[in-house]
Amino acid sequence: MPFAAIHRRLPLVAGLLALLPAALQAGYDKPPEPLLGVMHAPLPAIPMLDPTRQRMLLVEQAQYPSIERVAEPYVKLAGLRIEPRNHSRHDASSGYGIRTCLKRFTVEDVASHQQVPVALPADACPSVPLWSPDGHRFAFTNTTDERTELWLGDALTGAVHRVDGVSLNPIMEDSVQWLHNSDSLLVKQVPLNLGAAPKISATGGPEIKESIQGKGESSTYEARDTLGSPEDEALFDYYATAQLAVVDAASGQAHAVGKPGVLAGVSGAPDGEHVLVETLKKPYSYVTTYERFARDVSVLDVRTGQSTPIASLPVADRVPVRGVPVGPRELEWRANAPATLVWPEALDQGDWKVNVPHRDKLMLWSAPFTGKPKEIARTVQRFSGMRWLADGNEPFVYELDANRQWIHITRIDVANPSKPARTLWDYSLNEVYNNPGTLLTQTLPNGASVVRQDGDAVYLSGPGGTPKGDRPFLDRYNLSNGHTERLFRSSADTYERPVAVLTGGERFITVRQSPIDPPNLLLYTLGASVAGAQAGEAAFAASAAPITHIPDPTPQVRGIGKQLVTYKRKDGVELSFTLYTPPGYTPGTRLPAVLYAYPQDFADPSQAGQISGSQQKFDVLRGYRLLLLSGYAIIDNASFPIVGDPRTAYDTYIDQLVMDAQAAVDKAVELGVVDRNRIGVTGHSHGALMTANLLAHTELFRAGVATSGGYNKTLTPFGFQNERRSLWQAPSVYEQASTFFHADKVKSPLLIMHGMDDANPGTEPIQSQKLFQAIRGLGGTTRLVMLPHEPHWYTAMESNEQEVYEMLNWFDRYVKNAPVRTDTAKPAKAAP
């Protein structure tokens, strides 16, 4: 019986699998000091302000969990990874990591700075805490060996207690949320008397998928760990079935509401009485994940237990790539009404390739949900979100043009649908220098999130991109006349981002960091206006007072050098990278170097060259950056744009990769820091494909390290990245982008690493295994390292230690200590 089938039928082998981690540990390697010590250092605490901004929680977590945690046995069902031992979720909700535990919480009063430690139980595995809307309490889950518990904390005393009798079901998120102001919580429970899990046949059976008529494209981001048999369906029903309950925050008493079901999305209305419920129903699809299963959408009245049908949605397993399902989707509550639903519906069959005057219509329906829903607007492009003020009928509506990569933001009047929408902002998704920012929000006493408003003013916080890096800003925007005032802008020698505006708009909170200071909160008070303030700078003086004093956990790495470098590739596109040098670097010394990049797609070449990010951020060294402590320079986040019409840009993918790499290498050598004969390259996921392709199509790099990549794009035949054409429409594009078909050209040593449990369909583990076999069979130098139990992003401390160990040894052998190259492959203008 194949291992995959055995692993799926976990109860038969749970005992054996539980013994694996200890045995496996003996096979892991560790990098040397000081790299190892930095990996084991704690992370800076993360401050979490309560909705009233009077208190905060300082949350601490370890850098990495142990391999024992990551190796916990699980079953794969409909895109979920479930741990049977305690009926919990194994993977993170994004599907790309492992659910991890926090270490400790501390409550701090913002005004007095008085701290109260939170006494968590021994061996606790708490989740990120969730503040109550009034800031008096916080809730969190604690995952034990048997179940997931609900815990409540008192913000004044720091005292926490378990809510007895509540066993949460966290399988499909939304397991805990505050309801009805701060008096109660809505939770998903494991049903009482659930019984034992269904027994699985020891011999199993065939896994069968069927398609009868109709197209059914599957994108790179779909179809991981799908169901494959009636036994899988039974297991999915068993673990996903939940019972809603309302928990009184004061007494801890819980009472069930509604009927048990396979509950996906659950959301309480602002009135605290109505709950939007999505219940999955059969027949289940065997070709897609639970997000696209058929479902019934209803509204449950938690007072009466009565459920009102809203929509019955079919399975959505034939949605076009980058498309949306037809019918109601993304239903949500209107934030400033007691119980009113708002949602979009596609007018183009959910297919962006269909030309229509309007892609979506917006619908509105209020309790008691009698009659029919009302159409309130139509959007020219795809609806992508809505934000409400605390009062009024004019929300902010967001549209996305995927073809142009463009954002359009308007205000509509839902009480007067015939009134034309008013455009506020219209800009490229890739715009950095003129990005207007994001509307700041506040939490109302009923828990609803709305746009922060003071009179006619709302506030936007943006990246503040400049040719020298980001300088975040805070703007005050007048809704009546469209006038914008700049209240704050980060100085050039720090990176400071506004995160909250307090009532009245005269005070605001920022997070400030610098290359030597970890992120800390500050409270600003506006002063007098500044006469003659330059364009883009703050028009008001402001005084700041620190709120937090979080220390640097790794002062030993602050000797690294860092500078922003700008340059151009040969076709004139402007590029940049950050050049890191090791502690104690002597200027003029040429160093071995490693280039890291992740190619990104741009429709406009002028935006491809815009500088994003900041040199003033606090660095936590991980992965390849740890090589700084072993004498390497790092050419970090080098710009690797793929520029062109999104429909055809990948026609020149390889040519543009080569231009990007050549320009970066030439500039790093020109600076006098990097030795041209000793440069390696590395990348993750799409960056791993880049790494392999650069070794196949250039001789710029002595060696490469590719982690969790997808090297044969014919295995994702309905698109990859921003390539919209299928394999059958553009076969040469898929072939040219795939290193697998050019493995005979990979002459420089390539280390390939991959997580053995990678669930990202574009980067299944077989991608690395087959590339290794191809290079090896063709006589190339390569090494394959498969990390047990790891998903797309490596999680366990032991796995990350192994990754750094392998990378350091590989680059030491084939880059740092490589013999001088005497071939003629070096560029004609190579620097000394």
Side-chain angles (χ1 to χ4, degrees):
M1 189 176 189
F3 178 78
I6 297 174
H7 192 66
R8 168 168 280 161
R9 288 152 179 82
L10 180 66
L12 299 175
V13 292
L16 290 175
L17 288 175
L19 298 175
L20 284 177
L24 288 170
Q25 285 190 56
Y28 284 94
D29 297 296
K30 298 178 183 292
E33 295 290 357
L35 287 73
L36 186 63
V38 172
M39 294 184 72
H40 284 260
L43 294 173
I46 300 173
M48 294 181 57
L49 288 163
D50 80 0
T52 70
R53 314 307 187 195
Q54 296 180 28
R55 301 177 187 86
M56 61 183 166
L57 281 163
L58 297 176
V59 177
E60 299 178 49
Q61 66 181 72
Q63 285 210 48
Y64 310 100
S66 68
I67 190 64
E68 286 91 349
R69 167 71 196 99
V70 176
E72 177 68 31
Y74 64 86
V75 290
K76 306 174 183 180
L77 298 168
L80 299 167
R81 295 186 165 188
I82 299 167
E83 296 180 9
R85 182 167 64 108
N86 53 16
H87 208 118
S88 71
R89 183 80 175 261
H90 179 76
D91 56 337
S93 59
S94 64
Y96 291 103
I98 303 298
R99 175 187 53 79
T100 57
C101 310
L102 300 180
K103 290 177 61 178
R104 62 181 63 90
F105 308 151
T106 302
V107 180
E108 180 171 331
D109 183 85
V110 170
S112 68
H113 304 297
Q114 182 178 357
Q115 291 189 348
V116 180
V118 175
L120 297 173
D123 301 322
C125 180
S127 66
V128 175
L130 181 66
W131 279 108
S132 64
D134 64 9
H136 292 166
R137 297 183 176 97
F138 55 91
F140 61 93
T141 68
N142 179 43
T143 305
T144 71
D145 289 343
E146 296 82 25
R147 65 182 59 85
T148 301
E149 303 170 337
L150 173 65
W151 284 66
L152 291 176
D154 186 309
L156 290 177
T157 65
V160 296
H161 67 277
R162 183 183 61 210
V163 179
D164 292 331
V166 174
S167 182
L168 299 174
N169 187 337
I171 300 304
M172 286 192 286
E173 294 93 47
D174 298 331
S175 61
V176 178
Q177 55 190 284
W178 287 96
L179 187 71
H180 197 268
N181 301 326
S182 300
D183 301 333
S184 57
L185 300 101
L186 178 69
V187 302
K188 285 182 179 178
Q189 292 193 105
V190 175
L192 295 176
N193 304 316
L194 180 64
K199 292 185 177 181
I200 302 303
S201 168
T203 58
E207 182 174 302
I208 300 172
K209 292 178 170 62
E210 184 177 54
S211 179
I212 302 175
Q213 299 181 342
K215 293 182 178 180
E217 297 179 350
S218 178
S219 76
T220 301
Y221 306 103
E222 298 173 1
R224 64 179 191 274
D225 300 345
T226 56
L227 300 178
S229 69
E231 290 183 337
D232 283 352
E233 292 189 45
L235 282 175
F236 177 74
D237 281 340
Y238 176 83
Y239 289 113
T241 296
Q243 170 68 62
L244 288 180
V246 175
V247 178
D248 183 272
S251 68
Q253 294 297 311
H255 69 274
V257 292
K259 298 178 180 179
V262 182
L263 306 182
V266 174
S267 174
D271 68 359
E273 298 173 355
H274 295 83
V275 175
L276 179 67
V277 180
E278 295 187 9
T279 305
L280 304 186
K281 62 181 181 179
K282 295 181 177 180
Y284 295 144
S285 172
Y286 284 16
V287 298
T288 190
T289 57
Y290 79 94
E291 291 98 332
R292 291 191 170 178
F293 283 3
R295 63 195 61 208
D296 288 326
V297 182
S298 61
V299 171
L300 174 67
D301 188 321
V302 297
R303 301 166 304 170
T304 66
Q306 180 180 351
S307 183
T308 303
I310 300 296
S312 180
L313 305 177
V315 64
D317 59 359
R318 295 185 184 274
V319 177
V321 173
R322 295 180 178 83
V324 297
V326 297
R329 69 177 196 275
E330 301 167 21
L331 290 87
E332 61 181 29
W333 294 109
R334 175 174 173 170
N336 64 2
T340 296
L341 289 172
V342 184
W343 68 85
E345 294 185 26
L347 297 170
D348 59 358
Q349 292 87 53
D351 190 345
W352 63 271
K353 296 186 289 294
V354 175
N355 293 319
V356 291
H358 297 90
R359 293 208 176 275
D360 283 326
K361 64 179 179 181
L362 305 183
M363 309 300 292
L364 181 146
W365 205 4
S366 298
F369 308 105
T370 55
K372 294 183 178 181
K374 171 185 174 184
E375 181 178 330
I376 55 173
R378 295 194 172 199
T379 60
V380 174
Q381 299 300 331
R382 185 70 68 214
F383 172 82
S384 62
M386 181 179 289
R387 284 288 188 184
W388 297 85
L389 297 168
D391 298 295
N393 296 308
E394 298 187 34
F396 302 85
V397 176
Y398 293 73
E399 300 176 44
L400 173 63
D401 182 347
N403 287 324
R404 295 176 60 215
Q405 300 183 27
W406 207 265
I407 296 288
H408 186 65
I409 304 174
T410 62
R411 290 190 75 194
I412 64 172
D413 188 341
V414 299
N416 185 9
S418 62
K419 182 180 177 180
R422 179 162 62 96
T423 296
L424 301 184
W425 299 285
D426 189 62
Y427 59 98
S428 170
L429 187 65
N430 299 313
E431 178 58 51
V432 175
Y433 296 165
N434 295 307
N435 187 311
T438 302
L439 289 163
L440 293 181
T441 61
Q442 68 181 85
T443 301
L444 298 178
N446 62 12
S449 177
V450 297
V451 174
R452 160 70 72 180
Q453 181 182 15
D454 290 303
D456 285 337
V458 295
Y459 304 90
L460 298 106
S461 175
T466 77
K468 295 184 178 180
D470 291 352
R471 292 180 56 202
F473 63 80
L474 175 65
D475 282 354
R476 181 162 55 199
Y477 178 82
N478 189 292
L479 294 172
S480 297
N481 58 27
H483 177 66
T484 299
E485 289 180 300
R486 180 138 297 173
L487 305 182
F488 168 84
R489 189 163 198 185
S490 176
S491 66
D493 59 354
T494 63
Y495 179 81
E496 193 166 1
R497 182 174 57 88
V499 293
V501 173
L502 305 187
T503 302
E506 300 304 313
R507 296 188 303 158
F508 57 91
I509 295 173
T510 67
V511 179
R512 177 194 289 175
Q513 58 183 294
S514 75
I516 60 172
D517 299 307
N520 274 286
L521 295 180
L522 288 90
L523 175 64
Y524 276 83
T525 301
L526 286 180
S529 61
V530 177
Q534 296 181 357
E537 299 300 321
F540 296 85
S543 59
I547 297 176
T548 59
H549 300 82
I550 299 169
D552 180 358
T554 52
Q556 66 269 35
V557 307
R558 298 305 148 211
I560 60 177
K562 180 167 64 171
Q563 69 177 108
L564 175 67
V565 178
T566 59
Y567 53 102
K568 293 182 179 180
R569 72 183 192 186
K570 70 179 184 180
D571 62 356
V573 174
E574 295 183 352
L575 306 174
S576 66
F577 59 70
T578 298
L579 181 63
Y580 286 89
T581 50
Y585 170 67
T586 301
T589 305
R590 291 196 179 274
L591 300 173
V594 173
L595 181 148
Y596 171 87
Y598 187 94
Q600 293 182 301
D601 303 331
F602 294 88
D604 186 339
S606 67
Q607 290 160 353
Q610 292 184 350
I611 306 297
S612 62
S614 172
Q615 309 308 301
Q616 306 307 324
K617 288 186 176 181
F618 180 80
D619 290 312
V620 175
L621 296 189
R622 285 186 166 192
Y624 64 91
R625 285 186 182 176
L626 285 162
L627 272 61
L628 283 163
L629 305 181
S630 193
Y632 287 84
I634 303 294
I635 306 167
D636 200 24
N637 287 318
S639 300
F640 267 63
I642 306 302
V643 183
D645 186 321
R647 293 167 292 189
T648 58
Y650 273 81
D651 289 354
T652 58
Y653 166 68
I654 294 297
D655 293 339
Q656 294 198 59
L657 279 188
V658 173
M659 283 196 293
D660 293 332
Q662 185 72 65
V665 167
D666 288 348
K667 188 63 179 182
V669 173
E670 177 190 314
L671 293 171
V673 176
V674 172
D675 181 348
R676 185 184 293 277
N677 286 306
R678 295 189 296 163
I679 304 177
V681 60
T682 188
H684 184 81
S685 195
H686 193 46
L689 175 64
M690 171 207 73
T691 297
N693 273 329
L694 288 175
L695 296 191
H697 299 287
T698 79
E699 295 183 352
L700 294 168
F701 304 100
R702 301 302 298 270
V705 177
T707 58
S708 296
Y711 312 103
N712 183 349
K713 291 305 176 185
T714 67
L715 299 180
T716 54
F718 291 106
F720 60 92
Q721 297 304 111
N722 276 342
E723 174 55 58
R724 286 99 184 275
R725 296 164 294 184
S726 73
L727 168 64
W728 298 274
Q729 293 170 315
S732 62
V733 171
Y734 282 73
E735 184 274 337
Q736 188 64 17
S738 301
T739 313
F740 181 80
F741 296 110
H742 303 275
D744 57 322
K745 301 175 184 176
V746 179
K747 302 302 183 184
S748 297
L750 178 61
L751 169 63
I752 305 168
M753 300 188 70
H754 216 116
M756 292 175 68
D757 281 358
D758 192 341
N760 179 21
T763 58
E764 296 96 334
I766 195 173
Q767 292 267 6
S768 287
Q769 294 163 340
K770 291 301 181 183
L771 180 63
F772 170 78
Q773 291 173 6
I775 296 174
R776 176 182 178 276
L778 291 163
T781 300
T782 186
R783 178 179 172 90
L784 176 66
V785 178
M786 302 296 292
L787 297 172
H789 312 292
E790 289 293 352
H792 191 60
W793 292 97
Y794 314 147
T795 306
M797 172 63 79
E798 292 82 352
S799 301
N800 281 275
E801 290 172 347
Q802 187 75 41
E803 179 191 24
V804 175
Y805 168 87
E806 294 285 349
M807 188 177 292
L808 178 62
N809 283 353
W810 195 257
F811 283 138
D812 277 356
R813 181 190 306 175
Y814 294 112
V815 175
K816 179 188 281 189
N817 300 316
V820 176
R821 192 161 50 184
T822 58
D823 55 56
T824 59
K826 292 179 290 185
K829 296 182 180 180

